[in-house]
Amino acid sequence: MIRAFLFDMDGVLADTEDISVTIGIEYFRSIGINASYADFQPNLGAGERVFFDRTASALSAERYSYDDASAYFRRRYPEIIERADVSLPGAAETVKMARSAGIMCAIASSAPGWKVHDNIKAIGLDDQDFDFIATGEDIKRNKPEKDIYELCLIKLGIDGDEAVVFEDSAAGIMSGKRAGCRVVAMMTTIDGEKAADAGADAVISDLSALPRFSSAAEADALIFSISSEKAGVAYGANMIIPGKRLLSDPLIIERMKRAAAKARDNAYAPYSSFKVGAAVLSAATGRIYSGCNVENSSYGATICAERNAITTAITAEGVIGIDIIAVCSDDDPPAPPCALCLQVLAEFARPDTLVVLFSVSGKEMHYAFSQLLPNPFVFPTMRQ
Ligand code: THU
């Protein structure tokens, strides 16, 4: 049974990497060296010493001194973090949800203690929200060694298989695995494939993608189900861990058709009189969200049923993956999503996402999403 969640800090609970790298760049500039983000990238997640020492040696920085760099960082970080919004989606909510479900929470960060405490405040939590806080000062050997996670296990009095580690770096994933924990990787700073290569049991986009749970038993079932996957599945550019389906496909499709038809009843279409209802199935939670078209006297401001269903789903769950889409209209053949809606759906759908088009008169057609939109536009930095 899961008894504890062990969180890395930077890149898992707080998005502080940009701040750290910005200060790193500032420091090297102060000793006459132009560094870039890419120079720091390989040295993230293994503590401040590695962050500065390895970057300095790769840049052949002769005037570099770790003590100076560390003092510079110590001075600048609190100034910047005070003004920055660094909370990652779902961070504080997941900690609170876990604790109210009776699951202990700890932090295992390679960063120095002062920085960890600053970060906890910056994400709207405080030290009392955690059962134990391990920092880089508590251990000699940093990640990827198992020491920091082992320390958490000892302090919490549990075994590795009773803990889930949330990590975003290859070094951190290895550290958690070596301590015998299950590791869920966040795609905040690492891509799914690299995380799986480093040994992650599951990959999710960020903590907001973790389905909700209200008891330790539910969390256990959830973590077990996502851990049995090698990694997340790509829905658009998002990696999502599909939950286990509790109903058979025909039963789910029936429910979705009912939801889409019911939503269609509420359509606001005084101009076209063309009423549409849509439903989408969230891959992670199995929940169904519906929407209807809402027209406007300025015709172009009209919102289609499909996009309303999606925005409702995102509002409820955050990033989603869509396994099935159902669209209800009074047309023959039944109306497909318009091109605009297809592009919006592509953000959260897979090529094999099932699209069920049906009409009130009973006509029904099934497509794979890729048949309707074979080549969606994907933003360059999101391409996998
Ligand atoms: N409509 C949808 O809601 N979904 C589609 O995929 C096609 C079109 C709506 C928009 C407008 O209110 C009406 O149908 C006629 O275009």
Side-chain angles (χ1 to χ4, degrees):
M1 182 73 101
I2 297 299
R3 296 184 57 202
F5 279 3
L6 314 180
F7 299 95
D8 173 41
M9 170 58 85
D10 299 287
V12 171
L13 296 177
D15 185 10
T16 55
E17 202 174 272
D18 281 355
I19 297 179
S20 299
V21 173
T22 303
I23 300 173
I25 291 171
E26 274 181 22
Y27 165 75
F28 280 106
R29 194 180 306 131
S30 77
I31 58 166
I33 287 182
N34 265 332
S36 72
Y37 199 97
D39 296 318
F40 292 92
Q41 183 79 39
N43 308 322
L44 288 165
E48 191 186 48
R49 180 110 227 174
V50 167
F51 177 76
F52 276 120
D53 279 1
R54 295 231 183 109
T55 309
S57 74
L59 292 167
S60 313
E62 277 164 26
R63 286 169 57 205
Y64 166 75
S65 122
Y66 172 68
D67 289 343
D68 289 353
S70 182
Y72 187 92
F73 196 89
R74 176 79 184 88
R75 199 170 66 248
R76 283 291 282 143
Y77 195 84
E79 289 171 7
I80 300 182
I81 192 115
E82 216 176 45
R83 288 174 277 110
D85 177 11
V86 294
S87 194
L88 276 165
E93 293 82 353
T94 302
V95 172
K96 287 181 182 154
M97 179 168 63
R99 282 195 118 205
S100 55
I103 294 168
M104 294 183 282
C105 288
I107 287 180
S109 169
S110 312
W114 64 264
K115 189 180 169 211
V116 175
H117 295 292
D118 274 6
N119 287 345
I120 290 172
K121 265 192 251 135
I123 59 170
L125 293 174
D126 60 59
D127 292 2
Q128 279 69 50
D129 288 313
F130 296 94
D131 297 276
F132 180 60
I133 297 169
T135 76
E137 285 145 21
D138 298 316
I139 35 110
K140 279 227 163 65
R141 299 186 308 168
N142 231 315
K143 299 172 188 176
E145 298 301 331
K146 62 184 174 181
D147 303 23
I148 197 160
Y149 283 110
E150 231 168 40
L151 177 64
C152 290
L153 297 174
I154 290 166
K155 286 284 184 182
L156 299 178
I158 57 172
D159 293 326
D161 60 4
E162 295 177 301
V164 182
V165 162
F166 294 91
E167 268 290 354
D168 75 314
S169 71
I173 293 166
M174 283 187 249
S175 172
K177 286 312 291 176
R178 286 175 184 171
C181 307
R182 263 172 280 175
V183 178
V184 177
M186 313 284 107
M187 287 186 59
T188 41
T189 57
I190 192 171
D191 67 48
E193 211 169 310
K194 280 204 194 93
D197 284 350
D201 297 291
V203 186
I204 58 177
S205 48
D206 58 45
L207 287 170
S208 68
L210 201 67
R212 309 291 95 181
F213 56 84
S214 56
S215 67
E218 257 179 61
D220 202 54
L222 164 72
I223 298 296
F224 181 77
S225 76
I226 68 174
S227 300
S228 60
E229 308 284 337
K230 181 66 187 153
V233 176
Y235 287 82
N238 304 300
M239 295 296 282
I240 304 281
I241 314 286
K244 292 254 186 295
R245 291 265 186 91
L246 299 175
L247 297 174
S248 67
D249 273 11
L251 272 179
I252 293 173
I253 292 169
E254 269 324 299
R255 284 196 179 190
M256 293 190 66
K257 284 174 63 180
R258 271 208 301 277
K262 190 157 174 273
R264 182 178 174 275
D265 288 341
N266 286 345
Y268 177 73
Y271 304 102
S272 72
S273 297
F274 191 83
K275 292 179 152 205
V276 185
V280 295
L281 178 75
S282 162
T285 61
R287 293 200 189 106
I288 295 168
Y289 298 94
S290 59
C292 61
N293 52 331
V294 178
E295 297 189 341
N296 192 272
S297 56
S298 172
Y299 290 5
T302 292
I303 310 172
C304 295
E306 296 87 334
R307 275 176 287 150
N308 268 334
I310 291 173
T311 51
T312 304
I314 304 273
T315 306
E317 289 190 19
V319 66
I320 54 157
I322 301 176
D323 270 346
I324 305 177
I325 303 157
V327 183
C328 176
S329 62
D330 184 11
D331 206 359
D332 190 2
C338 73
L340 212 59
C341 284
L342 285 171
Q343 176 63 37
V344 174
L345 284 161
E347 189 83 14
F348 309 104
R350 295 177 45 70
D352 60 355
T353 288
L354 174 66
V355 184
V356 177
L357 308 178
F358 69 106
S359 68
V360 283
S361 64
K363 289 247 161 51
E364 182 167 328
M365 299 172 82
H366 287 197
Y367 293 93
F369 184 76
S370 59
Q371 290 178 285
L372 300 177
L373 184 64
N375 293 305
F377 170 70
V378 181
F379 200 68
T381 53
M382 298 286 273
R383 281 176 206 147
Q384 287 162 11

